[in-house]
Amino acid sequence: MEHPQRVVDAHVHHWDPARTDWYPFLAAADTSLAAVGMPDADRMRRPFDQPTYLAEAGHWNVEAYVHVTAAPEHFVGETAEIARLAKATGQPQAIIGGVDGRDGAAGIVAQLDAQAGAPGFRGVRASAGLDLDTDTGHTLLGALQDRGLVYDLVVHPDGMRAAAAALAAFPDLTVVVEHAGWPLAEDLEHAAAWRDGLARLAALGPRVHLKLSGLAMTLHRIDAASFRPWVAHSLEVFGTARCFFASNFPVDGMFGSYDDLYGTYAQLVDELAAPARDGLFAANAARVYRC
């Protein structure tokens, strides 16, 4: 197995479980994560700051990383805080903030504008429940397209068909499908829905990318045999130029170490040519997120 020469980690969260106003799902009594296949989330309920991340990723030559919001309501404050961290330390090199569709179309634009001045701000993910095929959804997608920002799409297989239809109306919008399309189960019916949804999203063209992360949330393990069918199909559908690996730490860290995860990634693509491997580990994410 060949170690990648460099890594651009496209999905990292910094948080402190004590800040339950910002991260309510980290409260010990919260059960919301069970709905997305994580009934026991105790192992991710730990402070995860930049020194912790860099120490755990220390064997992998992380030359840049993308911080992705995990604050469902306080994303504006979080974006500002992460921007201050980046100014002080030079990292992270890119920030994906958030929006909350409950504030309506005007609120979405105000949320974007409140984060747009942060150095490294590259786009947003939306809180759960935002219907893209509404005035609010269309306003968000149009505003991102007009501003040259990235939309990190949080979607499960049962929502991919609708998401692809809504995104088709915004042909210049750069989209990153998070967590390999976030399958929630391993059964054949669910996997078939996932494959169909991936095909619909991939058919939107080269502006749509697939972030290979989060599989541990569904599989509850990190090993090459378990990951292989999901990663192999993803690469078949999207191609190596439109996919990239990410850690989703500390969430995926519930099921193994950073070394375990990136060792699995390296094993899965060991036979690819060097340029394709570099794309998956670094170059593709660096291009999409400009970092």
Side-chain angles (χ1 to χ4, degrees):
M1 179 183 72
E2 186 174 349
H3 233 53
Q5 293 186 350
R6 60 186 182 132
V7 165
V8 173
D9 188 342
H11 204 101
V12 175
H13 305 296
H14 293 318
W15 61 41
D16 182 351
R19 302 173 78 171
T20 54
D21 55 336
W22 279 30
Y23 309 107
F25 56 89
L26 294 178
D30 186 87
T31 60
S32 61
L33 293 173
V36 288
M38 294 184 286
D40 180 7
D42 286 346
R43 283 173 289 178
M44 76 178 202
R45 292 187 174 106
R46 60 183 176 117
F48 198 74
D49 57 11
Q50 187 179 87
T52 302
Y53 168 70
L54 294 176
E56 295 186 15
H59 295 149
W60 294 90
N61 189 26
V62 176
E63 66 175 28
Y65 73 95
V66 182
H67 183 274
V68 179
T69 186
E73 296 183 1
H74 295 273
F75 44 81
V76 173
E78 186 193 51
T79 292
E81 185 171 284
I82 296 298
R84 289 192 294 271
L85 174 68
K87 183 177 181 180
T89 67
Q91 299 179 88
Q93 288 79 357
I95 301 169
I96 292 295
V99 291
D100 187 341
R102 293 175 299 180
D103 284 352
I108 286 277
V109 174
Q111 292 162 17
L112 283 179
D113 289 344
Q115 297 169 86
F121 181 68
R122 298 291 184 258
V124 298
R125 68 194 314 210
S127 57
L130 175 63
D131 184 350
L132 294 177
D133 194 21
T134 61
D135 288 344
T136 300
H138 293 170
T139 295
L140 170 62
L141 299 178
L144 291 169
Q145 179 175 260
D146 293 345
R147 290 162 170 77
L149 294 170
V150 176
Y151 183 49
D152 254 40
L153 173 64
V154 181
V155 69
H156 300 297
D158 62 358
M160 288 178 175
R161 182 189 294 260
L167 291 168
F170 300 89
D172 296 322
L173 175 63
T174 299
V175 179
V176 175
V177 183
E178 288 191 358
H179 301 330
W182 206 338
L184 296 175
E186 298 181 69
D187 64 84
L188 294 178
E189 183 178 355
H190 192 78
W194 172 78
R195 289 193 297 270
D196 176 73
L198 278 195
R200 292 176 185 275
L201 290 166
L204 294 172
R207 67 191 179 91
V208 180
H209 311 266
L210 187 65
K211 189 184 300 189
L212 297 172
S213 61
L215 286 169
M217 294 189 295
T218 298
L219 303 176
H220 294 183
R221 56 195 184 275
I222 296 174
D223 63 82
S226 299
F227 275 34
R228 181 169 284 110
W230 303 92
V231 171
H233 187 74
S234 296
L235 295 178
E236 180 181 346
V237 173
F238 273 84
T240 57
R242 296 167 62 192
C243 293
F244 42 83
F245 292 125
S247 71
N248 190 35
F249 257 53
V251 182
D252 284 17
M254 290 190 293
F255 306 102
S257 69
Y258 201 97
D259 291 341
D260 292 334
L261 179 61
Y262 270 79
T264 289
Y265 289 157
Q267 185 177 346
L268 290 172
V269 298
D270 192 46
E271 296 183 359
L272 293 180
R277 288 200 309 274
D278 182 65
L280 290 167
F281 281 105
N284 297 344
R287 181 181 69 252
V288 171
Y289 291 114
R290 293 180 280 124
C291 61

